[in-house]
Structures are given as C-alpha cells and as structure tokens.
Amino acid sequence: MILFLIGYMGSGKSSLGRTVARETGFDFVDTDAQIEKECGATVSEIFAAQGEEHFRALERDVLQKAAAAQTDTIVATGGGAPCFGDNMDVMNAAGKTVYLKMSPRCLVQRLGRGREKRPIIRGMDDRQLLAFIEEKLPEREKFYGRASMVINCDGVSDAYVAGHIREYISQRRKTNAS
Ligand code: S3P
C-alpha cells in the first residue's frame, strides 16, 4: 500500500510521515528531500536558479517514481504537489491520499522559522503570511479535497494524527484482505 500525505506547507506531512513509517515499518519517501538529494541542491536553490516550473517537473518525476513503489510506503509530498498537472490522479490511482487539513491561523503558528527554507513564503511576517494563506488555501483545497481521507488537524496533537493515520492503514488492510 502507498499512502500519500498531502496538505499545505506546515501541516506536518514530513514529520508525521516519518513517525508513522517508523511505527508501521513502511518505507518513507519525502518528495522535497528526494529532489534535494537527486539535484544536490536545496528546494530554495532550485527555485532561485531554475524557477518554479523546473521544480514542478522534478517533483512530478519523483512523485511518479514513488507511485511505482512495490513496497508499503508513506510518501510526504510538497504542499503544491497535488495542484499541478494530474498529480492528484497519479496518487489516487497508485494508492491512498490523506489530507492533513489545517486552518490558516494554525498553519501560521506552525510555520515559525520554517518559512525561511520555503521560497514561496520566505521573508513574510505573520500578518502577510496569514493573508497569503487565506488567499491561496481555497485554491489548493480544490485539489486537496479529492483526497481519500481528510484529517482535521486543528488543535489536536501530532500523536493523535499519527494514530489516526495508523488506524486508516489497518482499516484499508482489512478491506483489501476481505
Ligand atoms: C511548496 C511546498 C514545499 C516545497 C516547495 C513548494 C508549495 O513543501 O515543495 O517549497 O508550493 O506549497 P512543504 O509543503 O513540505 O513545505
């Protein structure tokens, strides 16, 4: 089974993905980290040197490779990944997608210093970031809303969300086995 974690920057895809993979024995792929490894450059450097379009092409390649995995795998995707090309179809065809849903206010809180390594939001103060997310999130939710499952992450602990994801995995296992 391949489980793709999707959601806005700061929603916890990478850290939760790593935690649940450790707990369940699934392999773990982080698309941003994979791109950085393959290019020998950070996401910010790729955006600056080659532009966002080039980054989206790399992201697409990495996502397709992850979608072809033959082992149980959790894939933490970049926040924009579901919203380009037919990436959402690719993920839903290859496995299950889980949307880690979080309100703009909670996202701003979680994106403390983390915004500096994210080229799209770098340098924004809290007020600017809140306005930016409030404008952009509804556009992205058109894609995120096509997830196999949505977890409401506002005001709940990471441990609770991780438990929810594990529960979903075991439910899918039972359904597939029956
Ligand atoms: C992006 C999100 C980032 C990274 C890139 C673009 C986006 O990933 O892929 O900076 O467009 O939302 P995270 O969601 O892991 O921050």
Side-chain angles (χ1 to χ4, degrees), residues 7-10 13-14 32 43 47 52 55-56 59 77-81 84 117-120 140 144:
Y8 207 77
M9 292 177 264
K13 303 170 300 265
S14 300
D32 283 341
V43 170
F47 264 72
E52 178 170 356
F55 172 79
R56 296 301 170 192
E59 182 171 62
T77 63
F84 287 84
K117 63 176 168 57
R118 292 171 165 101
I120 293 176
R140 288 195 164 181
Y144 297 158

Side-chain angles (χ1 to χ4, degrees), residues 47-67:
F47 264 72
Q50 287 132 319
E52 178 170 356
E53 213 174 307
H54 182 71
F55 172 79
R56 296 301 170 192
L58 297 170
E59 182 171 62
R60 162 80 181 177
D61 280 357
V62 166
L63 204 61
Q64 271 186 318
K65 273 185 218 148

Side-chain angles (χ1 to χ4, degrees), residues 104-151:
R105 279 188 188 282
C106 285
L107 289 166
V108 170
Q109 268 174 20
R110 287 178 60 118
L111 282 164
R113 270 176 293 152
R115 68 191 78 170
E116 290 319 310
K117 63 176 168 57
R118 292 171 165 101
I120 293 176
I121 57 171
R122 173 181 307 125
M124 289 186 188
D125 63 25
D126 282 0
R127 202 177 44 82
Q128 290 167 324
L129 184 59
L130 183 63
F132 182 81
I133 298 177
E134 280 175 344
E135 186 194 332
K136 300 291 181 190
L137 188 57
E139 292 167 19
R140 288 195 164 181
E141 285 214 307
K142 291 179 195 144
F143 299 90
Y144 297 158
R146 294 178 52 213
S148 326
M149 189 188 54
V150 180
I151 302 181

